[in-house]
Amino acid sequence: MTDFRKRIILDGATGSLLSERSGAPAGYRLEKLNIQDPEVVFSVHRDYVEAGSDVIYTNTFGANPLKLGNETAEAVKAAVAIARRAAGKKASVALDIGPLGKLIGEGGISFDEAYENYAAVIRAAGDETDLVVIETMTDLADARIALLAAKENSSLPVMLSMSFEAGGRSAFGTDVESFARTVSGMGVAAIGINCSLGPVEMLPMAKKLIESTDLPVFIKPNAGMPRFENGRTVYDIDKRRFCDAMRDIHALGVNILGGCCGTDPDYIRMLDESIRGVAKRPPYKPVRALASSTSTVVVDGMKVVGERINPTGKKVFQQALREGNFDYILAQGIEQSQAGADLLDVNVGLNGTDEKSNMVRVVEGLQKVVSRPLVIDSSSPEVLEAALRRYNGKALVNSVNGKASSIASVLPLVKKYGAAVVCLALDENGIPDTVEGRVEIGKRLVAECEKAGIAKEDVYVDALTMAESAQKGSAMCTLGALGEIKTLGAGSVLGVSNISFGMPHREDINACFLGMAKDAGLDLAIINPSLVNIRPSEYARDFLENKEGATDAYIAYAAKTDSVKTEDFAPADAPDMTRAIVGGMGGLAAETARKLLETLDPLKVASDHIVPALDRVGELYESGKIFLPQLIAAADSAKQAFAVLEEKMNEKGVKGEDKRFVIATVKGDIHDIGKNIVKAVVSNYGFKVIDLGRDVDYKTVLDAVEKNYPCVLGLSALMTTTAQNMAETISVVRKSYPDITVLVGGAVITPEYAKTIGGVYCKDANTTVKALKEIFARGTV
């Protein structure tokens, strides 16, 4: 069993050494060498073991059914056998699992398809390694699915690492802290960062990771930053500078170290010689925190939980659920986020509807359009698990209670998915009407959580808010229990609005009760966020304190006061196209397009409404206010609006501008996430996109250019081993079309390399749109 608290030296880069030693052509699936040339794979492993690696990774980074098809199981089994032979008794063997290279969700593959691909690899290995390592993840959804597949199909410990860009976020917008908060509770043995950056750039991220988890941390950087010289990838720091920087990372308390792209056995040998002993790690300071995939909320004072995503007492919301109008529900989330909610409670339980299906749809939709962490609110364990399985963050489960059946069914889910939990102060005997009774149940539930392995900082007790109008003294009982609960070491939560049920001018009472609860130490207030700043009246406080004659006095006061009204959001009333597209609400975008077509022609709707909305999305993306999931959701929404326009244009025989953009992932490269994102965004700007797919040979690209000329060509490559094929593709096409403009991009492509091969570098979908606009405006196609 690997002891992750000791000093561990991992191996270095594998793919580049295998390419060099095997002479394999660019784009060749190196995992096939496990079958076709096992000795060359053995030689790489052997050299790392001799250099001092305590753990070597199997040659299975890309060995999954999406990439190897029916050869997957054979390649995995062979890889494990080769690594075992090379490791002997000197090193442990880790089953290496890399990303699938596919978007998870709409436009890519489903959660279940991704899970089955990962599970197939893990089952093929059959627990014949010492551990599993999941690495180089950029999408937190992808990382979580791989982790679930590993935990559910293997008994081995799992290490998991993500790759981050220089700004401290992954390509999909996940930051280091949100990654740590989300994954740490899901049963990983160690958590880390690898690839993309060198050790100097990775140092502050390693520090943030150490501060955000109590798990062992591992760091596996590149040998600095890559660049292309004479068709080869080279890195900008040598082994001595690499090891000097790694000593700084080790000094933080990181004791599991290795190398990624650009490193080799010589780097690892010097690393092993340079890093001695176990560095002391600063004491971890537990905090109450919840996370989405892109942001973390630390509960270090009262935080607001938006309550509006709930059908109780809301006829319009209920109608939306029955009709499947999820745009309405997403709009509730967006509005509450804009109003200042720190978290969003999500409850879709309604008789006569499929709560499980609706919950999954809403959770998946919300995490595309808002960055606030979610509170999964349901009385059904089946619904809770379905939501937790797909939520890419650390959620709060609402709720468990003191009944034995609830404890047995809910707490294991909270533990498995690394969530936090709300504990309701009720049991088989109902809700106690005394402070002591509620605190006693709270104490018992905190103990049950601890027994289940749930840390106290992830436990919140709800002393329960009852209607003061129905039971006098309820408010003071709840507040008294709230104060006592703070002594249990748990957090506190209250559904604030229940207090005013049956009374007029409810917002006044709610605001007053909120202030009293805050003074008593409330951590999480479930309330309409737009009411948080309302200044309550003294009449409301007298009512809640159950003073003599206070109820009649409050009702008389309310009759003379205009109540603040909060109308349900109705999509037909307010939002324009920008609101619909930026919010990722496709149905609303289509509906808005139909309304605009009543007075405008299709091209006018596109130019004056849809394109400006997309430009706004681009601005938000460039400024780091939204990330890839939101960008994709916006593009999908615009597509629905365009579909309405196209239908109208076909009726009238109107044609849009014919601006052709041929796009492909180059020969040998089967990763198409970047290409698909570019396609989704570009197609909404009036360009005709001809998508040739992935692993496209030179002749197919040339034939497509010939068929669509004049056009712009776009090429993508995500692997260092296929970047040279991009240069070859351009060379082949330019022999027939010397003046064609070629836009190039992908994880391994740099502006410098783009220039050397005659391409125009595009960092992402947004810059591709800008480049295409300029090219067609100049008429230089």
Side-chain angles (χ1 to χ4, degrees), residues 218-276:
F218 66 103
I219 300 294
K220 218 169 185 274
N222 290 347
M225 303 307 291
R227 67 180 186 276
F228 286 88
E229 289 184 359
N230 300 319
R232 295 181 66 251
T233 306
V234 297
Y235 290 81
D236 64 3
I237 63 173
D238 60 24
K239 60 189 177 184
R240 186 166 299 282
R241 291 170 60 205
F242 179 86
C243 292
D244 287 344
M246 290 296 274
R247 276 193 289 266
D248 293 336
I249 291 176
H250 179 241
L252 295 174
V254 178
N255 290 296
I256 308 174
L257 301 163
C260 204
C261 301
T263 62
D264 59 28
D266 288 338
Y267 278 75
I268 299 304
R269 183 174 291 104
M270 183 171 282
L271 180 65
D272 182 37
E273 294 168 352
S274 302
I275 305 297
R276 294 297 180 185

Side-chain angles (χ1 to χ4, degrees), residues 396-433:
L396 176 62
V397 170
N398 190 5
S399 57
V400 67
N401 60 55
K403 297 178 182 178
S405 59
S406 179
I407 292 169
S409 60
V410 175
L411 293 189
L413 297 178
V414 174
K415 176 60 179 174
K416 176 178 180 178
Y417 293 100
V421 64
V422 172
C423 299
L424 303 183
L426 65 86
D427 58 15
E428 288 85 353
N429 299 314
I431 302 172
D433 55 9

